[in-house]
Amino acid sequence: MPAALIPAALSVTTSIIGGAGVATALAYGGINAVLSLALSATATKKNYATNTPRVKNARKHILRSSEAPREIVYGQVRKSGLLTFAHSTGREGNLHLVITLAAHEIDSIEELWVGEELASLEKYNGFVEYQLHYGTPQQLADSILVESAPVWSNQHRGQDIAYLRITLKWDENLWNLGLPNISATIRGKKIYDPRRITDSASHPSTQSSAIRYSDNPALCVLDYLTSEQGLACEPSEIDWQSFIDAANLCEQQVGGENRYRCNGVVVLDQPPIEIVEQLLTSCAGVLVYTQGKYRIFPAAPRSKSAHLNENNLRANPQGIPRAERNSLFNTLRATYIDKNRNWQLTDIPPISNPRYIMNDGGKELSYNLELPYTTSRTHAQRLARLAFEVVRPGARMQFPATLAALGIDVWDVVSISLPQVGYENKLFRVLAWRMSEDFGIDLELQEYSNEAYHYYSETEDRAQPTSSNLLETPFFENVNFNLVVKTLVEASNDANDDGELKTILEASWKIPSSLIKNISLQWRESGAQQNPQENPQENPQENPQENPQVNPWSGVTLPPETTQYQIQQAQSGKTYDCRLRMTNSIGIISKWQYNNANHFNRQFEPPQPPTQFRIKQQSGILTASWEMSSALYLNGSVEIRYLNSIGDPAWEDMQKVHNIILRRRYNFSFPAPAPGRHVFAIRSYNRLGIASEFSARISIILTPEAVKSLPRDEATLGWPGLDSEFAFKDENNFLVASSSATWRDLQDSWRELASTWKQLLPAKKILIYTTPTIDLGTIKPIIPIYQITAHGQFNINWRYSDTLPCEGEFSSISDTGENTRFVQFQIKVQGGKSTIPKLLHLIIDEQ
């Protein structure tokens, strides 16, 4: 977050968010912090996942998955969807597919695509048939599926879900390469248009005439704000006139077409701030939340609404006359979805201005703009040009105003006259507004020009406006910035799975003046020596102890209100020198101030020790069991030790019980040591070998007993028995239930595919494993004991015989056992609603 905007962003009275057209460009000028905070501060009605990447295109390929996030379709798009049902009527028969398109009613389907060909081609006549179910609340079940698929009934209506039923008839020439990809060009959601309601007090109205298909960006944003699938805002939270004005502006004719259009897909597992930012790219707009209401402003020139001068100041203004170098770009590249090029992701020619490049020292500074809701080349060029031109003026200022600024709103244009800084009727955009503690109004202003919104051609350049600032020079002589460098360790509950604590090398300082332009912070390893090419005039106070050698400094240039910086590039175990200097508003540079020899090292918290440690003795076999944290289960291990002792021995004096690493285990069986009193202890280790702080201890007395042990696979190194219900062994050597067939198992050939559709079922909820037949050596009494670890509910049965083979039904194991020679066991694991059954560990003994 740019520190320059922290005060504005924290305003609870007024804040602003914006899209990646003008607004993302403005992020270079410092508006990004406000973009991030405004929506998250006001939209708290729902929880959203945050790990989904931004949508760059509508998905044109069938999604084969057990689940997928819901989607809203705005405007015209080409897309596929989730394959939710498939049914085959037999070999060389019909294949019926159901593809879900949207989580709402849509307007129409314009084209059906088979691969990259239209289904209307003559060769598909008679072999491809489809029906669109629009997703109305009243829609009925698909009659073809009701008639053809036994599991599809009249209750499968799919109200409020738009889907396609496609029927493919077998043809060896058409389908010999397998299942084709199906997609459609559709007109998306019907949305509310407040302009069609004459009584403005009735918004939102339930009149059917107000609900219609539209690709108007303002109406699409309004729909997302007010719909249950979006932010579900109350009507009182919407400035309806703002959206009416914006909708009219979007439909103004520019070059023979609407000024702005919105065509794309919203995936609802994204954070709301990202969804709104993406929607706003279609109109280079911003969304403002002020006085409890949302207002929208598509990119367009505005008339000034107020004038401020030195009589309206409470204190000295603060400003940055030109954007920082790392905040500029003089060349812009943009990508969009071109519907005239088969809906492919397409680049526009780069936009560049030779005058801007010259002013930036002759170096090309690029920025890549994504326009996921734009499908027209001319629209993409217009939006990219807006992003390119609006940010270029660059000058910003903090204007501490009196209460005379009460009538000014965010995104208003105001003129400023301040003779002391050379401004006379200079236009600024209001980026942020807040009430100060001394009953004034603090304004964040961005230089503004109506020329930026002119419809420029691809090759036309705009002259860069001039800006000046004659603020007084801060007095830098003998000023102490109080540069401090230290290692910060976060709270222990922030440790990662390895027990590593979040450790940060942080530099902090004080700001000596309100007229600072920027701050330069640099660092390098201690002992690294000065590069002889460093200009001593640009470094007026180098450390006199440095010897000229070759290693350069690394660093950042920071906004003027910044008082600390976390050096993420710092490496563990090294020592760093840091230095700081500041530049005032008219370019006077201070001397470097140093803080050297700061050691930075990672710190670790010991892992949690095992809990519920127990030792169970059965027929000469000891079984240790314990519980441990999930982080240790995945990445760590445990170690068990013992000692024949009557005291409390130290861990280092005890002997290891095992030589193998105990990972992904909650129990371990091993032969009992010699009779006597033994102390057993257990300790956990994380992935890096760091041990827990203490060990759990148990003291037991072992008595001599005859060892009666059935053959068993103690380390679970394999499953030599028989498994059924379509089990397989995963990478952890666990026995896992699967379906009778998965997508990976389906054949590529259509002829073989048709007969396997019926096997495409969810994962089985039961797993059956049968051990090999165990020979006890002679007929004798046996009472089995067993240990089983599984996901799901399990039970164990057996069958037995005096001769081979063991036959008959498996039955429960009685408490008194049986007299037999051969035994065989069967374990059934039953999964739950969301649990796939797994058999993780199995040991069978006898008493």
Side-chain angles (χ1 to χ4, degrees), residues 417-435:
S417 292
L418 294 175
Q420 64 269 43
V421 297
Y423 290 163
E424 181 66 29
N425 290 321
K426 187 172 181 60
L427 296 180
F428 285 87
R429 171 88 74 184
V430 180
L431 298 184
W433 183 109
R434 69 167 184 173
M435 181 75 73

Side-chain angles (χ1 to χ4, degrees), residues 409-425:
D409 284 332
V410 172
W411 215 242
D412 279 354
V413 173
V414 298
S415 60
I416 303 291
S417 292
L418 294 175
Q420 64 269 43
V421 297
Y423 290 163
E424 181 66 29
N425 290 321

Side-chain angles (χ1 to χ4, degrees), residues 653-675:
D653 298 332
M654 304 176 77
Q655 303 176 38
K656 289 186 178 181
V657 168
H658 52 86
N659 291 322
I660 63 174
I661 297 176
L662 298 183
R663 285 200 180 105
R664 297 194 175 107
R665 299 286 290 275
Y666 290 104
N667 53 56
F668 181 73
S669 296
F670 53 94

Side-chain angles (χ1 to χ4, degrees), residues 270-301:
Q270 298 179 94
I273 179 67
E274 293 189 9
I275 291 176
V276 174
E277 284 179 354
Q278 293 175 32
L279 289 172
L280 289 169
T281 63
S282 62
C283 62
V286 293
L287 189 66
V288 173
Y289 187 80
T290 177
Q291 299 179 3
K293 293 181 182 291
Y294 285 104
R295 304 169 65 194
I296 189 172
F297 297 99

Side-chain angles (χ1 to χ4, degrees), residues 4-55:
L5 286 187
I6 289 177
L10 295 179
S11 168
V12 297
T13 307
T14 303
S15 49
I16 176 175
I17 64 175
V22 173
T24 296
L26 286 175
Y28 274 89
I31 198 173
N32 190 51
V34 187
L35 295 178
S36 302
L37 288 178
L39 190 59
S40 60
T42 58
T44 57
K45 301 179 181 178
K46 299 182 180 180
N47 293 322
Y48 296 85
T50 60
N51 56 346
T52 302
R54 286 190 170 189
V55 175

Side-chain angles (χ1 to χ4, degrees), residues 22 71 174 219 239 295 320 359 426 436 458 481 505 569 621 727 753 843:
V22 173
E71 296 179 340
L174 286 177
L219 301 183
D239 185 329
R295 304 169 65 194
I320 303 176
N359 293 339
K426 187 172 181 60
S436 66
E458 288 189 35
F481 299 147
L505 186 63
Q569 300 88 336
I621 297 297
L753 175 64
I843 297 177

